[in-house]
Amino acid sequence: MKDFSEIKEQVKAKIEEVKDNASLSEFWQSYLGKQGVIQGLMKEMKNVPPEEKPSFGKAVNEVREWAQGLYAQKQSQVKELELKARYEREAIDVTMPAMKRDIGNLHPITLIKHQMIDVFAGMGFEVFEGPEIEDDDHNFTRLNVLKDHPSRDMQDTFYLTEELLLRTHTSPGQIRTMDTHKPPIKVLVPGKVFRSDSDATHSPMFSQMEGLVVDKGITLCDLQGMLDKFVQEIFGSGTKTRLRPSYFPFTEPSVEVDVSCFECGGKGCSLCKGTGWIEVLGGGVVNKKVLENCGIDSEVYSGLAFGIGIERITMLKYGISNMGVLFRNEQDFLEQFKA
Ligand code: PHE
Protein backbone atom coordinates (compact mmCIF):
# COMPACT_ATOMS: atom_id res chain seq x y z
CA MET A 1 0.00 0.00 0.00
CA LYS A 2 1.43 3.28 -1.18
CA ASP A 3 1.27 6.37 0.96
CA PHE A 4 1.70 8.55 -2.12
CA SER A 5 4.56 10.34 -0.40
CA GLU A 6 6.32 10.86 -3.69
CA ILE A 7 3.32 12.55 -5.19
CA LYS A 8 2.84 14.61 -2.06
CA GLU A 9 6.43 15.85 -2.20
CA GLN A 10 5.91 16.81 -5.83
CA VAL A 11 2.69 18.64 -5.01
CA LYS A 12 4.36 20.51 -2.17
CA ALA A 13 7.24 21.59 -4.37
CA LYS A 14 4.96 22.63 -7.20
CA ILE A 15 2.58 24.65 -5.08
CA GLU A 16 5.60 26.55 -3.70
CA GLU A 17 6.43 27.67 -7.21
CA VAL A 18 2.99 29.07 -7.88
CA LYS A 19 3.18 32.89 -7.99
CA ASP A 20 0.24 33.99 -10.14
CA ASN A 21 -3.03 32.93 -11.71
CA ALA A 22 -1.36 31.33 -14.70
CA SER A 23 0.88 29.00 -12.66
CA LEU A 24 -2.02 28.35 -10.30
CA SER A 25 -4.24 27.01 -13.07
CA GLU A 26 -1.27 25.05 -14.41
CA PHE A 27 -1.01 23.42 -10.97
CA TRP A 28 -4.72 22.56 -11.08
CA GLN A 29 -4.37 21.01 -14.53
CA SER A 30 -1.33 18.94 -13.48
CA TYR A 31 -2.69 17.56 -10.21
CA LEU A 32 -6.38 18.14 -9.65
CA GLY A 33 -7.82 18.37 -13.18
CA LYS A 34 -9.40 15.50 -15.14
CA GLN A 35 -6.07 14.65 -16.72
CA GLY A 36 -4.18 15.39 -13.51
CA VAL A 37 -1.89 13.10 -11.52
CA ILE A 38 -4.32 12.61 -8.60
CA GLN A 39 -7.21 11.78 -10.89
CA GLY A 40 -4.81 9.35 -12.55
CA LEU A 41 -4.46 7.49 -9.23
CA MET A 42 -8.14 6.57 -9.36
CA LYS A 43 -7.52 4.83 -12.66
CA GLU A 44 -5.06 2.59 -10.84
CA MET A 45 -8.01 1.18 -8.88
CA LYS A 46 -8.52 -1.64 -11.35
CA ASN A 47 -5.05 -3.00 -10.55
CA VAL A 48 -5.70 -2.98 -6.78
CA PRO A 49 -6.74 -6.26 -5.13
CA PRO A 50 -10.43 -6.19 -4.13
CA GLU A 51 -9.82 -6.21 -0.36
CA GLU A 52 -7.57 -3.18 -0.63
CA LYS A 53 -9.88 -1.16 -2.86
CA PRO A 54 -11.73 0.68 -0.01
CA SER A 55 -8.57 1.78 1.76
CA PHE A 56 -6.90 2.71 -1.54
CA GLY A 57 -9.92 4.84 -2.53
CA LYS A 58 -9.92 6.49 0.88
CA ALA A 59 -6.20 7.27 0.63
CA VAL A 60 -6.61 8.80 -2.83
CA ASN A 61 -9.49 10.94 -1.55
CA GLU A 62 -7.35 12.12 1.32
CA VAL A 63 -4.53 13.12 -1.03
CA ARG A 64 -7.01 14.93 -3.23
CA GLU A 65 -8.56 16.83 -0.32
CA TRP A 66 -5.13 17.69 0.99
CA ALA A 67 -4.04 19.00 -2.43
CA GLN A 68 -7.31 20.90 -2.80
CA GLY A 69 -6.64 22.50 0.58
CA LEU A 70 -3.22 23.64 -0.59
CA TYR A 71 -4.74 24.89 -3.81
CA ALA A 72 -7.42 26.93 -2.02
CA GLN A 73 -4.84 28.46 0.29
CA LYS A 74 -2.61 29.34 -2.63
CA GLN A 75 -5.54 30.74 -4.56
CA SER A 76 -6.34 33.31 -1.87
CA GLN A 77 -2.64 34.22 -1.60
CA VAL A 78 -2.41 34.74 -5.35
CA LYS A 79 -5.57 36.83 -5.30
CA GLU A 80 -4.08 39.06 -2.63
CA LEU A 81 -0.78 39.35 -4.53
CA GLU A 82 -2.53 40.27 -7.76
CA LEU A 83 -4.62 42.86 -5.98
CA LYS A 84 -1.55 44.34 -4.37
CA ALA A 85 0.23 44.48 -7.72
CA ARG A 86 -2.80 46.16 -9.27
CA TYR A 87 -2.95 48.74 -6.51
CA GLU A 88 0.70 49.53 -7.09
CA ARG A 89 0.18 49.77 -10.83
CA GLU A 90 -2.78 52.08 -10.51
CA ALA A 91 -1.57 54.11 -7.58
CA ILE A 92 -2.29 57.86 -7.75
CA ASP A 93 -0.16 60.30 -5.86
CA VAL A 94 -2.77 62.69 -4.54
CA THR A 95 -0.07 65.04 -3.26
CA MET A 96 1.29 65.61 -6.78
CA PRO A 97 0.69 69.18 -8.00
CA ALA A 98 -2.24 69.34 -10.43
CA MET A 99 -1.63 69.98 -14.12
CA LYS A 100 -2.11 73.71 -14.81
CA ARG A 101 -4.78 74.44 -17.34
CA ASP A 102 -4.66 77.85 -18.99
CA ILE A 103 -8.01 79.46 -19.49
CA GLY A 104 -8.40 82.12 -22.15
CA ASN A 105 -9.99 85.50 -21.66
CA LEU A 106 -11.79 88.07 -23.73
CA HIS A 107 -9.74 90.47 -25.81
CA PRO A 108 -9.64 94.04 -24.42
CA ILE A 109 -11.49 95.34 -27.49
CA THR A 110 -14.26 92.82 -26.85
CA LEU A 111 -14.34 93.72 -23.16
CA ILE A 112 -14.78 97.41 -23.92
CA LYS A 113 -17.29 96.68 -26.68
CA HIS A 114 -19.38 94.69 -24.21
CA GLN A 115 -19.15 97.49 -21.63
CA MET A 116 -20.24 100.03 -24.22
CA ILE A 117 -23.19 97.88 -25.30
CA ASP A 118 -24.18 97.43 -21.64
CA VAL A 119 -24.25 101.19 -21.06
CA PHE A 120 -26.36 101.95 -24.14
CA ALA A 121 -28.59 98.91 -23.67
CA GLY A 122 -29.42 100.44 -20.29
CA MET A 123 -30.75 103.46 -22.20
CA GLY A 124 -32.93 101.23 -24.39
CA PHE A 125 -30.69 100.75 -27.44
CA GLU A 126 -30.92 97.55 -29.50
CA VAL A 127 -27.91 96.02 -31.27
CA PHE A 128 -27.86 95.59 -35.04
CA GLU A 129 -24.97 94.40 -37.21
CA GLY A 130 -24.48 95.24 -40.87
CA PRO A 131 -22.21 93.67 -43.50
CA GLU A 132 -18.47 94.41 -43.66
CA ILE A 133 -18.60 94.42 -47.45
CA GLU A 134 -20.81 97.34 -48.37
CA ASP A 135 -21.90 99.04 -51.54
CA ASP A 136 -21.09 102.60 -52.44
CA ASP A 137 -24.74 103.52 -51.95
CA HIS A 138 -24.96 102.57 -48.28
CA ASN A 139 -21.42 103.56 -47.31
CA PHE A 140 -21.46 106.94 -49.05
CA THR A 141 -24.19 108.15 -51.38
CA ARG A 142 -27.26 107.74 -49.20
CA LEU A 143 -25.27 109.17 -46.27
CA ASN A 144 -25.04 112.33 -48.34
CA VAL A 145 -21.45 111.65 -49.37
CA LEU A 146 -21.96 112.20 -53.07
CA LYS A 147 -19.65 110.94 -55.79
CA ASP A 148 -16.83 113.36 -56.55
CA HIS A 149 -17.59 115.27 -53.38
CA PRO A 150 -14.37 116.16 -51.53
CA SER A 151 -15.71 114.56 -48.34
CA ARG A 152 -15.08 111.16 -49.96
CA ASP A 153 -11.41 111.80 -49.34
CA MET A 154 -11.99 112.02 -45.56
CA GLN A 155 -11.66 108.25 -45.55
CA ASP A 156 -9.21 106.17 -47.58
CA THR A 157 -11.37 103.45 -49.00
CA PHE A 158 -10.50 99.86 -49.96
CA TYR A 159 -12.55 99.29 -53.11
CA LEU A 160 -13.37 95.74 -54.20
CA THR A 161 -15.12 96.75 -57.41
CA GLU A 162 -16.51 99.98 -58.77
CA GLU A 163 -19.57 99.51 -56.51
CA LEU A 164 -18.39 97.28 -53.67
CA LEU A 165 -16.00 98.23 -50.89
CA LEU A 166 -14.97 97.40 -47.32
CA ARG A 167 -17.11 99.69 -45.19
CA THR A 168 -15.09 102.67 -43.98
CA HIS A 169 -17.39 103.28 -41.00
CA THR A 170 -20.42 101.75 -39.29
CA SER A 171 -22.65 104.61 -40.54
CA PRO A 172 -24.13 102.48 -43.38
CA GLY A 173 -25.81 100.69 -40.46
CA GLN A 174 -27.91 103.87 -40.08
CA ILE A 175 -29.26 103.47 -43.63
CA ARG A 176 -29.86 99.74 -43.17
CA THR A 177 -31.87 100.23 -39.97
CA MET A 178 -33.90 103.14 -41.35
CA ASP A 179 -34.69 101.03 -44.45
CA THR A 180 -36.10 98.23 -42.33
CA HIS A 181 -37.45 99.97 -39.21
CA LYS A 182 -39.96 102.76 -38.68
CA PRO A 183 -39.31 105.39 -35.99
CA PRO A 184 -38.96 105.40 -33.07
CA ILE A 185 -35.51 103.90 -33.72
CA LYS A 186 -32.78 103.41 -31.13
CA VAL A 187 -29.97 101.18 -32.38
CA LEU A 188 -26.30 100.47 -31.85
CA VAL A 189 -24.24 99.12 -34.72
CA PRO A 190 -20.90 97.70 -33.55
CA GLY A 191 -18.49 96.26 -36.08
CA LYS A 192 -15.20 96.20 -37.95
CA VAL A 193 -14.38 98.98 -40.39
CA PHE A 194 -11.54 99.39 -42.86
CA ARG A 195 -9.41 102.27 -44.06
CA SER A 196 -6.08 102.43 -45.84
CA ASP A 197 -4.31 103.98 -42.88
CA SER A 198 -1.62 102.66 -40.57
CA ASP A 199 0.49 104.20 -37.80
CA ALA A 200 0.78 104.11 -33.97
CA THR A 201 -2.85 105.16 -33.53
CA HIS A 202 -4.38 103.90 -36.79
CA SER A 203 -4.88 100.41 -38.18
CA PRO A 204 -6.32 99.40 -41.57
CA MET A 205 -8.92 97.40 -39.67
CA PHE A 206 -10.51 98.78 -36.53
CA SER A 207 -13.85 98.79 -34.75
CA GLN A 208 -16.58 101.34 -34.37
CA MET A 209 -19.85 101.56 -32.55
CA GLU A 210 -22.53 103.54 -34.32
CA GLY A 211 -25.50 104.93 -32.45
CA LEU A 212 -28.71 106.13 -34.09
CA VAL A 213 -31.86 107.54 -32.52
CA VAL A 214 -34.80 108.70 -34.67
CA ASP A 215 -38.02 109.97 -33.11
CA LYS A 216 -40.13 113.09 -32.79
CA GLY A 217 -38.31 116.01 -31.19
CA ILE A 218 -34.77 114.58 -30.99
CA THR A 219 -32.16 117.32 -30.57
CA LEU A 220 -28.45 117.80 -29.97
CA CYS A 221 -29.27 118.02 -26.24
CA ASP A 222 -30.38 114.38 -26.30
CA LEU A 223 -27.02 113.47 -27.85
CA GLN A 224 -25.08 115.30 -25.19
CA GLY A 225 -27.23 113.81 -22.40
CA MET A 226 -26.67 110.26 -23.64
CA LEU A 227 -22.95 110.80 -24.15
CA ASP A 228 -22.58 112.35 -20.68
CA LYS A 229 -24.06 109.20 -19.22
CA PHE A 230 -21.86 107.05 -21.46
CA VAL A 231 -18.53 108.69 -20.54
CA GLN A 232 -19.41 108.69 -16.84
CA GLU A 233 -20.03 104.95 -16.96
CA ILE A 234 -16.86 104.23 -18.92
CA PHE A 235 -14.36 106.77 -17.53
CA GLY A 236 -15.75 107.57 -14.08
CA SER A 237 -18.55 109.62 -12.55
CA GLY A 238 -16.74 112.98 -12.61
CA THR A 239 -16.17 112.91 -16.40
CA LYS A 240 -17.70 115.71 -18.47
CA THR A 241 -18.24 116.12 -22.21
CA ARG A 242 -17.55 119.07 -24.47
CA LEU A 243 -19.01 119.44 -27.96
CA ARG A 244 -16.99 121.20 -30.65
CA PRO A 245 -18.40 122.12 -34.05
CA SER A 246 -17.23 119.79 -36.80
CA TYR A 247 -18.27 118.49 -40.19
CA PHE A 248 -19.76 115.22 -41.37
CA PRO A 249 -21.91 115.09 -44.52
CA PHE A 250 -24.52 112.91 -42.78
CA THR A 251 -25.08 115.10 -39.70
CA GLU A 252 -26.08 118.75 -39.44
CA PRO A 253 -24.96 120.20 -37.14
CA SER A 254 -21.98 117.94 -36.57
CA VAL A 255 -19.88 117.75 -33.44
CA GLU A 256 -16.60 116.36 -32.24
CA VAL A 257 -16.99 115.19 -28.65
CA ASP A 258 -14.26 115.57 -26.03
CA VAL A 259 -14.21 114.18 -22.50
CA SER A 260 -12.60 115.94 -19.56
CA CYS A 261 -9.26 114.22 -18.93
CA PHE A 262 -9.89 111.38 -16.49
CA GLU A 263 -6.15 111.15 -15.79
CA CYS A 264 -5.57 114.69 -14.45
CA GLY A 265 -9.18 115.78 -13.92
CA GLY A 266 -8.78 118.58 -16.46
CA LYS A 267 -5.62 120.26 -15.12
CA GLY A 268 -3.56 119.20 -18.10
CA CYS A 269 -1.19 116.24 -18.38
CA SER A 270 0.61 114.16 -21.00
CA LEU A 271 -2.47 112.07 -21.80
CA CYS A 272 -4.56 115.14 -22.73
CA LYS A 273 -1.49 116.94 -24.08
CA GLY A 274 -1.94 119.73 -21.55
CA THR A 275 -5.45 120.66 -22.77
CA GLY A 276 -7.53 118.93 -20.08
CA TRP A 277 -9.72 117.40 -22.83
CA ILE A 278 -9.53 114.22 -24.92
CA GLU A 279 -11.37 113.71 -28.20
CA VAL A 280 -13.39 110.49 -28.17
CA LEU A 281 -16.04 110.50 -30.90
CA GLY A 282 -17.98 112.22 -33.65
CA GLY A 283 -21.70 112.75 -33.91
CA GLY A 284 -24.50 115.16 -34.60
CA VAL A 285 -28.08 115.64 -35.61
CA VAL A 286 -28.97 113.35 -38.51
CA ASN A 287 -28.95 115.36 -41.75
CA LYS A 288 -32.50 115.80 -43.06
CA LYS A 289 -31.30 114.59 -46.45
CA VAL A 290 -30.29 111.24 -44.90
CA LEU A 291 -33.74 110.83 -43.29
CA GLU A 292 -35.40 111.63 -46.62
CA ASN A 293 -33.07 109.19 -48.42
CA CYS A 294 -34.59 106.51 -46.18
CA GLY A 295 -38.19 107.62 -46.67
CA ILE A 296 -38.55 109.23 -43.23
CA ASP A 297 -40.45 112.52 -43.09
CA SER A 298 -37.91 115.02 -41.80
CA GLU A 299 -40.68 117.50 -40.96
CA VAL A 300 -42.07 115.02 -38.42
CA TYR A 301 -38.99 113.19 -37.23
CA SER A 302 -35.46 114.12 -36.30
CA GLY A 303 -32.50 112.03 -35.23
CA LEU A 304 -29.13 111.94 -33.62
CA ALA A 305 -26.15 109.79 -34.57
CA PHE A 306 -22.70 109.13 -33.21
CA GLY A 307 -19.71 106.96 -34.08
CA ILE A 308 -17.27 105.82 -31.42
CA GLY A 309 -13.89 104.24 -32.12
CA ILE A 310 -13.73 101.18 -29.89
CA GLU A 311 -9.91 100.87 -30.05
CA ARG A 312 -9.61 104.54 -29.08
CA ILE A 313 -11.76 104.02 -25.97
CA THR A 314 -9.85 100.81 -25.16
CA MET A 315 -6.47 102.56 -25.46
CA LEU A 316 -7.59 105.48 -23.30
CA LYS A 317 -9.16 103.25 -20.71
CA TYR A 318 -6.12 100.95 -20.35
CA GLY A 319 -3.41 103.52 -21.03
CA ILE A 320 -2.23 101.88 -24.27
CA SER A 321 -0.19 104.20 -26.47
CA ASN A 322 0.48 101.94 -29.46
CA MET A 323 -2.50 100.45 -31.24
CA GLY A 324 -0.39 97.59 -32.61
CA VAL A 325 -0.48 95.68 -29.32
CA LEU A 326 -4.24 95.30 -29.72
CA PHE A 327 -3.75 93.32 -32.93
CA ARG A 328 -0.49 91.43 -32.37
CA ASN A 329 -2.22 89.23 -29.79
CA GLU A 330 0.86 88.45 -27.74
CA GLN A 331 -0.05 86.28 -24.80
CA ASP A 332 1.81 88.39 -22.21
CA PHE A 333 -0.30 91.36 -23.23
CA LEU A 334 -3.63 89.56 -23.46
CA GLU A 335 -3.24 87.81 -20.11
CA GLN A 336 -3.29 91.16 -18.34
CA PHE A 337 -7.01 91.39 -19.09
CA LYS A 338 -7.97 88.22 -17.22
CA ALA A 339 -11.00 88.83 -15.07
N1 PHE B 1 -18.86 107.84 -39.39
C1 PHE B 1 -18.07 108.88 -38.80
C2 PHE B 1 -16.60 108.46 -38.89
O1 PHE B 1 -16.32 107.32 -39.08
C3 PHE B 1 -18.43 109.11 -37.35
C4 PHE B 1 -19.82 109.61 -37.19
C5 PHE B 1 -20.86 108.76 -37.01
C6 PHE B 1 -20.06 110.97 -37.22
C7 PHE B 1 -22.15 109.22 -36.86
C8 PHE B 1 -21.33 111.45 -37.10
C9 PHE B 1 -22.36 110.59 -36.89
O2 PHE B 1 -15.70 109.29 -38.77
Side-chain angles (χ1 to χ4, degrees), residues 268-280:
C269 67
S270 63
L271 183 68
C272 59
K273 301 190 181 82
T275 64
W277 295 94
I278 301 168
E279 187 194 319
V280 288

Side-chain angles (χ1 to χ4, degrees), residues 220 223-232 235 238-246 254-261 266-268 272-284 312:
L220 201 60
L223 177 67
Q224 184 155 25
M226 283 176 181
L227 295 179
D228 272 341
K229 175 85 183 141
F230 167 70
V231 300
Q232 282 162 14
F235 296 115
T239 317
K240 294 186 182 62
T241 57
R242 177 176 82 170
L243 307 191
R244 279 181 292 109
S246 183
S254 300
V255 292
E256 212 83 70
V257 182
D258 297 342
V259 293
S260 56
C261 183
K267 286 194 219 58
C272 59
K273 301 190 181 82
T275 64
W277 295 94
I278 301 168
E279 187 194 319
V280 288
L281 61 103
R312 171 122 180 101

Side-chain angles (χ1 to χ4, degrees), residues 279-309:
E279 187 194 319
V280 288
L281 61 103
V285 172
V286 178
N287 194 316
K288 286 183 179 225
K289 284 187 197 158
V290 175
L291 293 179
E292 297 293 339
N293 285 343
C294 298
I296 292 174
D297 188 345
S298 64
E299 294 303 316
V300 179
Y301 293 104
S302 58
L304 63 84
F306 55 85
I308 312 175

